[in-house]
Amino acid sequence: MSRDMHSANPGFALGQWLRACDTAAHHPDPDTRRRARERAERWRDIIHSMQTGKLTVGSRTPLSDTPAWVTLEVARGGFATGRYLAEAPLEQHEQELLASLPRSVPGSTDRERLNLWYLGEEGQRELASVLAERRYRLGLPEEGALLVVTWLLANDHADEALELVATLRPLMHRLRFYPTVLDSPRPAEPTIVVRTVGQVRSSLERVTDSDDVQAMREALTTWNPLFDRLVELWSETVEDDLPQLERDAEGSLLRRSDGQPIVIGGWPCRRWPEDWSALRLAWLDDYRRARREHSLCGKHRHPRSNFTRLREALERCPHDSRKLDGRDVGLLRRTLANTLTRHGGPESEQRQNLRATQAAIAALPGLSAFAEVLNRRLSVFPETGGVTEPATIEATIRPDESERIAEGTELPEALVAKTRRALEAPMEELLERGIITSSETLARVLPQLTSHAMATGFDDPGLTTLCQQLHEAFRRRRSLLLLNLERQVQLEELPWFPPLERRRSNALDLSAATRDVLEQVTLTTLLAFPHALLPNRLIRELGALAERAGMKLPLVEEIAADIFMGAFTNKWRFAAQRTYRSMEGSLYARYYDLPPPVTRKQVTPTTPRGANTLEAFLELCRERSREAGDPDTRRVSSNGIVLEQAQVLTTHDLAVLVSALELEPTLREHGRELVERIFGWLVTRQLPKWRHTESRRDVKNGAFAWRQAIYFLSLLDGSTQDELITGLEQLVSKREPEEVALFWPVVIGLRGVHGGQSFDAAGRLIHDGHQGRRWFGWSVRRHWLLETPTEAGK
């Protein structure tokens, strides 16, 4: 297949740019608008680079004259932006180091001067020290390059060191090839952290009180005092007693024949104190200033509010009442009576007590005050590490910790949960605490765990840590959008990694250690998130572990329907073969009508080896997908139903992993619980969504979870399967009638297959007089699970 057979559609990039522009222009949150502007600029650069040919989207080397190993900034969808991540502006510690360098250090750029200084005698001593003491962090793979040079030179491998320097030299004026130096060594034990201290502190700094809380505080501290002054101004113009609403002996308002309350007391605008005009102008100035500076609370702007009526009268009325007619003065008297009756006069004890209570409420700390406390607590930990003591996060407010928050006050759970994400602990503890909440999160932090296993087999502890951090940094690279079956850049392609790999002395230890981690992570993921597809990032990590363990596992990733090029690689066929061998005769095989695997005997011997079986596998998926509609009508839907069949034939890696790692006994032990959890998730959480949101995505995710439930169900004996299906029937029967009618064909389909029946070519069967249907997530037409029960039966 030629390199330029397929190309990326620029429409995706254009759509992302338009969405970012819309958010930048209209979102109410200023931080969100700022981030959207940054995204819009990146997408604009991507579109321009695609138009000019500078950027070849879909290639593993999208930038001309740029080696594949350079870490690129990658936007959503796998689009390279054209920016090198290791070319970021100098950080504070780099600027301080640069300022201390002798003027004799060469270099055409600041970055080049720093790189060359680290290659000098003094810089080499510094790198040798931090390498031996593990006092460094690699944020990007490039940052480990000069550490490898340092080790090679210190261990009499000058030729390799010089060869590596020659490879790096053309980019030393742009890229950072040295690490971040730490004050203390990183822990050597295999712990992980979901978010670093620095990341959590940054999120805490963005915490603000809600708009409602800020509006309330603004009303209590700004508008209420202004209103009290306004009432006092008008009260000073009243002769005799202040106006009130008349009440009877029981406290009820007395009303006139027309239903309006009876006002008693004096009238405003009967006297004008000497300083009243000046006080009036001063109040109006303060009001205008408050309107400019405080816009969250709008109650004072309501046209029929006491505030508005008294303020409008003040704006129209000079020191005399010539601009207020009798009707205006009557309304003014009634308005004064309303507030004076309810809250008392300007100097009354009633009004003073009310304002004191409101002031105390306004002084109560909001979320931002608690976020400041947590931020200070985290400041004692390294920015690039995690928190090792949970009590630091969860403790109540200590003495002298905050002027606004009382000692012993509990912290808001929402902020504590946000801060717990910086907890550094073993994976099992983070799962138990609910800090790792999804397989996607687990996949994101997995490099921290696998890097320990990948770094075994070195005699030099310094190389162990360096290899570990290189693995961890490399796994953080975002994947590129690749077309034409190209392969992502591998760790071995970093020029400074092979010199390390050649120093590994015990491959047996590495194989055993990585297999243990592979088994642990696979089992943990399946037990913790049984309803979720293995995410691509996790599959890549598992594949890397399997390769290091000497296991050739055909692990397949999820392919987006909108970029599928109508071709599979050999690993899909191999995965289908292993799936068929392990699932033959099972409930899964009967439910999905698994065919025998595609072999070379099924195709013409004269066609090129490999291509024939792949074409046969693709054709098999296309033929099976016809149950969901004509696969040639719409491109994305057509791709989706074909790809789903490929997932069915391979169990999306479940059968491959479980059989290769011999996990069946453990999964049988937990099988009942796993199936019940998936059934419960589908019926109680997903089923209501289909009726209310009509989301095709929810139906697809549900079908994927259903497939995994049937896989786990297939590992159990027949009687246990029958009990679990009966439990599903009971669970569904308790739902709303519309939901029961909608989902019952799915249940009947499973019950029928368990009883020995088979679906017909349309994916239907009749069991005890009821129609059952096989559930696939993709459909060319409107999915039958989104139809009304009447429509679905047609």
Side-chain angles (χ1 to χ4, degrees):
M1 184 178 292
S2 65
R3 182 183 178 91
D4 59 352
M5 180 175 177
H6 298 290
S7 59
N9 183 358
F12 178 86
L14 180 60
Q16 294 296 318
W17 176 71
L18 290 173
R19 276 190 286 272
C21 288
D22 182 69
T23 302
H26 301 109
H27 199 280
D29 180 57
D31 287 338
T32 302
R33 292 198 302 271
R34 174 183 55 78
R35 291 191 294 270
R37 284 195 297 272
E38 294 172 354
R39 288 198 305 273
E41 291 174 2
R42 287 198 296 270
W43 283 110
R44 181 193 60 195
D45 292 342
I46 290 173
I47 295 169
H48 176 72
S49 297
M50 293 176 67
Q51 291 173 335
T52 59
K54 177 183 177 182
L55 185 64
T56 306
V57 176
S59 169
R60 72 197 307 267
T61 53
L63 298 179
S64 57
D65 301 325
T66 298
W69 52 261
V70 173
T71 305
L72 304 176
E73 181 184 54
V74 179
R76 183 179 180 183
F79 282 69
T81 66
R83 177 173 169 261
Y84 299 167
L85 288 185
E87 197 179 16
L90 296 184
E91 298 180 11
Q92 180 64 32
H93 65 90
E94 294 177 281
Q95 294 175 2
E96 294 172 358
L97 175 59
L98 183 67
S100 68
L101 296 184
R103 299 187 63 179
S104 58
V105 176
S108 59
T109 66
D110 291 342
R111 184 74 73 193
E112 186 173 26
R113 294 190 70 213
L114 289 170
N115 279 318
L116 294 179
W117 179 81
Y118 274 115
L119 283 174
E121 184 176 349
E122 188 177 353
Q124 281 292 288
R125 282 199 302 269
E126 170 77 1
L127 290 182
S129 173
V130 300
L131 182 61
E133 298 170 9
R134 305 197 318 274
R135 292 188 298 106
Y136 62 91
R137 179 183 67 87
L138 304 184
L140 296 167
E142 288 89 332
E143 296 172 10
L146 293 187
L147 284 172
V148 176
V149 171
T150 299
W151 189 91
L152 291 172
L153 290 174
N155 289 272
D156 300 324
H157 301 294
D159 289 345
E160 287 185 77
L162 292 175
E163 183 180 348
L164 177 55
V165 170
T167 301
L168 304 176
R169 190 66 183 88
L171 288 170
M172 280 192 178
H173 66 296
R174 299 182 63 180
L175 303 184
R176 171 178 171 160
F177 288 121
Y178 48 86
T180 298
V181 178
L182 307 178
D183 295 330
S184 57
R186 293 188 66 185
E189 64 275 7
T191 57
I192 57 178
V193 59
V194 172
R195 302 194 72 192
T196 66
V197 167
Q199 290 171 327
V200 171
R201 291 190 67 191
S202 178
S203 68
L204 289 173
E205 289 170 356
R206 294 193 296 270
V207 170
T208 59
D209 297 332
S210 69
D211 289 346
D212 289 342
V213 170
Q214 293 185 68
M216 179 196 69
R217 189 174 292 131
E218 180 182 287
L220 298 181
T221 60
T222 299
W223 299 110
N224 282 359
L226 270 175
F227 180 66
D228 288 347
R229 287 172 54 194
L230 184 59
V231 171
E232 184 176 8
L233 264 175
W234 281 118
S235 296
E236 289 181 356
T237 70
V238 177
E239 285 186 341
D240 302 323
D241 294 335
L242 294 176
Q244 297 278 335
L245 300 180
E246 189 172 12
R247 298 179 183 274
D248 61 19
E250 297 179 354
S252 299
L253 291 178
L254 297 177
R255 299 182 180 276
R256 302 182 315 215
S257 59
D258 61 359
Q260 294 298 314
I262 298 174
V263 179
I264 60 175
W267 286 76
C269 304
R270 291 293 189 264
R271 56 187 295 270
W272 303 101
E274 292 184 2
D275 61 347
W276 193 88
S277 182
L279 292 174
R280 168 184 174 273
L281 294 176
W283 188 94
L284 290 174
D285 286 342
D286 291 342
Y287 169 75
R288 296 185 189 101
R289 185 181 306 108
R291 287 199 61 177
R292 289 195 302 269
E293 299 175 359
H294 304 282
S295 59
L296 294 174
C297 178
K299 185 177 180 180
H300 63 283
R301 295 193 294 269
H302 192 283
R304 299 181 63 183
S305 68
N306 292 336
F307 191 112
T308 298
R309 286 174 172 172
L310 294 181
R311 187 257 307 164
E312 288 179 344
L314 193 72
E315 289 175 336
R316 295 199 309 271
C317 178
H319 68 277
D320 56 34
S321 59
R322 285 177 297 179
K323 290 189 178 180
L324 295 177
D325 57 24
R327 184 176 180 278
D328 292 334
V329 174
L331 180 59
L332 181 57
R333 180 175 181 247
R334 163 69 187 280
T335 304
L336 277 175
N338 288 340
T339 183
L340 293 173
T341 302
R342 183 175 183 183
H343 300 308
E347 302 297 332
S348 69
E349 182 178 355
Q350 178 185 359
R351 188 175 289 262
Q352 295 301 318
N353 289 339
L354 172 64
R355 296 314 185 205
T357 301
Q358 292 177 339
I361 294 174
L364 291 176
L367 283 179
S368 59
F370 288 100
E372 290 173 5
V373 171
L374 286 169
N375 205 335
R376 285 194 296 272
R377 289 182 179 183
L378 293 181
S379 65
V380 300
F381 296 96
E383 291 278 306
T384 57
V387 176
T388 55
E389 293 294 334
T392 304
I393 299 172
E394 300 166 353
T396 58
I397 297 296
R398 298 188 291 269
D400 302 325
E401 200 168 23
S402 174
E403 295 181 356
R404 297 176 56 190
I405 311 175
E407 177 185 350
T409 303
E410 297 280 348
L411 285 92
E413 177 57 30
L415 289 183
V416 173
K418 179 192 289 285
T419 312
R420 282 197 194 107
R421 293 172 68 81
L423 181 63
E424 186 169 358
M427 177 176 64
E428 292 77 9
E429 181 177 346
L430 297 185
L431 283 165
E432 183 179 349
R433 285 176 168 269
I435 297 172
I436 296 178
T437 57
S438 67
S439 53
E440 287 80 6
T441 302
L442 178 58
R444 183 164 54 82
V445 302
L446 186 57
Q448 300 173 50
L449 183 62
T450 58
S451 62
H452 287 268
M454 295 293 198
T456 58
F458 292 100
D459 296 329
D460 187 333
L463 287 188
T464 299
T465 301
L466 179 54
C467 186
Q468 170 194 325
Q469 291 213 39
L470 276 176
H471 272 281
E472 188 175 330
F474 184 79
R475 293 303 174 193
R476 284 195 293 265
R477 285 173 56 130
R478 295 192 63 181
S479 298
L480 289 166
L481 167 63
L482 297 182
L483 306 177
N484 307 323
L485 306 181
E486 290 207 54
R487 189 187 188 198
Q488 297 286 345
V489 175
Q490 303 298 301
L491 178 61
E492 292 74 14
E493 295 180 66
L494 303 183
W496 51 96
F497 186 76
L500 288 185
E501 190 67 10
R502 287 192 287 269
R503 271 72 197 180
R504 200 187 297 269
S505 60
N506 196 332
L508 184 61
D509 288 346
L510 173 62
S511 176
T514 51
R515 182 188 170 95
D516 289 344
V517 174
L518 175 61
E519 181 177 334
Q520 175 195 13
V521 172
T522 301
L523 193 56
T524 297
T525 304
L526 297 182
L527 294 179
F529 313 108
H531 64 283
L533 281 182
L534 299 179
N536 285 351
R537 180 180 288 187
L538 179 60
I539 292 172
R540 288 192 290 271
E541 288 297 325
L542 297 179
L545 285 170
E547 186 175 348
R548 289 290 181 183
M551 305 173 68
K552 294 184 178 180
L553 301 185
L555 300 179
V556 296
E557 299 176 348
E558 184 179 14
I559 302 175
D562 56 352
I563 65 170
F564 180 52
M565 295 301 171
F568 292 101
T569 58
N570 261 319
K571 64 182 179 181
W572 287 85
R573 180 171 62 87
F574 296 149
Q577 290 175 350
R578 294 200 185 192
T579 296
Y580 182 80
R581 288 197 296 267
S582 66
M583 303 305 295
E584 186 176 5
S586 68
L587 178 65
Y588 184 96
R590 290 185 285 112
Y591 185 90
Y592 290 110
D593 290 330
L594 287 190
V598 173
T599 65
R600 285 194 292 272
K601 295 180 181 179
Q602 296 173 267
V603 295
T604 306
T606 58
T607 55
R609 182 177 181 179
N612 49 8
T613 51
L614 293 181
E615 288 295 331
F617 181 78
L618 175 62
E619 186 55 37
L620 173 63
C621 292
R622 284 176 174 164
E623 183 60 34
R624 288 173 55 86
S625 69
R626 294 186 184 280
E627 181 178 317
D630 185 353
D632 300 320
T633 55
R634 278 182 263 173
R635 182 176 181 273
V636 174
S637 296
S638 172
N639 287 346
I641 59 179
V642 170
L643 288 169
E644 185 173 15
Q645 290 304 316
Q647 288 182 327
V648 167
L649 295 175
T650 62
T651 63
H652 196 64
D653 300 320
L654 294 186
V656 172
L657 288 166
V658 171
S659 60
L661 299 173
E662 301 177 345
L663 299 179
E664 292 96 337
T666 304
L667 291 178
R668 288 193 187 99
E669 180 183 347
H670 296 275
R672 177 186 292 272
E673 175 195 354
L674 296 178
V675 173
E676 288 177 340
R677 285 169 58 192
I678 299 176
F679 283 168
W681 181 81
L682 284 169
V683 175
T684 61
R685 295 184 59 182
Q686 295 300 104
L687 179 55
K689 290 183 180 180
W690 304 331
R691 299 308 305 144
H692 298 295
T693 66
E694 297 193 355
S695 168
R696 296 181 65 178
R697 179 187 295 273
D698 288 331
V699 171
K700 287 185 290 185
N701 290 340
F704 300 159
W706 177 255
R707 186 175 70 230
Q708 300 202 165
I710 294 177
Y711 174 81
F712 293 127
L713 198 61
S714 298
L715 301 179
L716 306 175
D717 60 75
S719 61
T720 305
Q721 292 176 3
D722 182 73
E723 292 174 10
L724 288 168
I725 296 173
T726 299
L728 174 63
E729 292 168 341
Q730 295 171 348
L731 185 64
V732 173
S733 65
K734 297 176 182 178
R735 306 298 299 178
E736 296 293 330
E738 284 189 356
E739 294 178 2
V740 174
L742 189 71
F743 199 67
W744 203 248
V746 176
V747 180
I748 292 297
L750 179 58
R751 171 60 76 183
V753 172
H754 178 263
Q757 294 180 256
S758 299
F759 291 109
D760 61 20
R764 303 170 188 251
L765 58 78
I766 301 297
H767 179 77
D768 287 344
H770 298 281
Q771 179 176 267
R773 300 192 67 164
R774 179 158 45 201
W775 185 10
F776 289 126
W778 278 92
S779 176
V780 171
R781 299 175 298 276
R782 177 179 169 84
H783 199 284
W784 58 269
L785 272 174
L786 298 178
E787 299 172 348
T788 64
T790 303
E791 292 173 331
K794 293 180 180 178

